[in-house]
């Protein structure tokens, strides 16, 4: 008989799973509030309608489920054959009928949840590979999914805001984003300050940095390239135009 509860007992992992499940429920709520006709509307991502977002989140669950199957069986099953295949799949998915699109989201989310639930404790340490080629333990897939559902719920442009995203998710997102800048060296002369927590990221050794600051949710929104409401900028890069500079790309 299949267990109806998670096989893992790791408290950190269970907390992460809860966050991902809450994010999925949040995304589902924002999606279900939209009428079929409203699915045709623009998302916050340039060139993508809400249909593209829904398709992307559905296929993302399937791709992550493939990594969990890999972890469970040891048989390598990549997320996607290639980024071209992934992109093609999203564009195809966006053309599905509203009912098919909603089913894709619902069924893929349930399937992923079952894969996570039934993955034995030890298999969570099994190494799998992301579409970016990173080798990560299977446990990392929980964060990979969490990040997608929370942030793309905002991208649906249906009233969700970065303020709705839990603080631990926002903090980890900001770490990921500023870490990607650091790896690429694109954060030169740029400091990011979170005013409602004691958090500072970026080029902190710069003598005359541009400092972008604001509350956590606003800073993450800016850093993720989703707008600059709620952040202010001071320093060399900002003074010239008096405006907040665009955040470096991170994906
Ligand atoms: Zn995404």
């Amino acid at each position: 008989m299949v267990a109806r509860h998670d096989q893992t007992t790791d408290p950190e992992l269970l907390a992460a799973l809860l966050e991902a499940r809450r994010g999925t429920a949040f995304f589902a709520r924002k999606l279900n509030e939209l009428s079929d006709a409203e699915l045709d509307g623009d998302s916050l991502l340039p060139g993508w309608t809400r249909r593209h977002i829904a398709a992307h989140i559905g296929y993302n669950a399937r791709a992550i489920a493939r990594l969990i199957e890999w972890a469970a069986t040891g048989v390598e099953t990549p997320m996607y054959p290639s980024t071209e295949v992934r992109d093609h799949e999203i564009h195809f998915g966006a053309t599905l009928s509203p009912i098919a699109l909603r089913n894709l989201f619902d069924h893929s989310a349930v399937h992923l949840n079952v894969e996570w639930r039934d993955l034995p404790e030890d298999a969570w340490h099994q190494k799998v590979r992301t579409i970016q080629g990173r080798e990560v333990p299977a446990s990392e897939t929980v964060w990979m999914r969490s990040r997608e559902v929370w942030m793309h719920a905002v991208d649906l442009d249906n009233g969700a805001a970065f303020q709705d995203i839990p603080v631990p998710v926002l903090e980890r997102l900001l770490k990921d984003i500023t870490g990607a800048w650091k790896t690429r060296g694109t954060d030169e002369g740029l400091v990011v300050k979170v005013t409602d927590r004691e958090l500072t990221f970026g080029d902190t050794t710069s003598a005359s940095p541009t400092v972008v600051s604001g509350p956590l949710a606003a800073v993450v929104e800016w850093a993720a390239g989703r707008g600059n409401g709620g952040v202010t900028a001071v320093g060399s890069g900002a003074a010239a135009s008096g405006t907040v500079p665009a955040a470096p790309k991170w994906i």
Side-chain angles (χ1 to χ4, degrees), residues 66-77 119 123 126-128:
R66 284 194 280 274
L67 294 186
I68 298 305
E69 284 154 21
W70 176 355
T73 62
V75 178
E76 182 166 341
T77 43
L119 191 65
Q126 169 83 37
K127 287 278 166 46
V128 294

Side-chain angles (χ1 to χ4, degrees), residues 94-144:
T95 68
L96 290 172
S97 70
I99 183 86
L101 200 54
R102 294 180 193 279
N103 281 339
L104 168 65
F105 167 74
D106 289 339
H107 294 169
S108 62
V110 168
H111 175 67
L112 174 59
N113 200 37
V114 169
E115 292 289 340
W116 274 341
R117 194 190 61 195
D118 294 343
L119 191 65
E121 186 96 62
D122 289 348
W124 283 100
H125 305 288
Q126 169 83 37
K127 287 278 166 46
V128 294
R129 202 165 42 251
T130 71
I131 182 79
Q132 288 93 8
R134 277 193 313 137
E135 291 245 332
V136 296
S139 54
E140 178 79 5
T141 62
V142 181
W143 168 242
M144 287 161 59

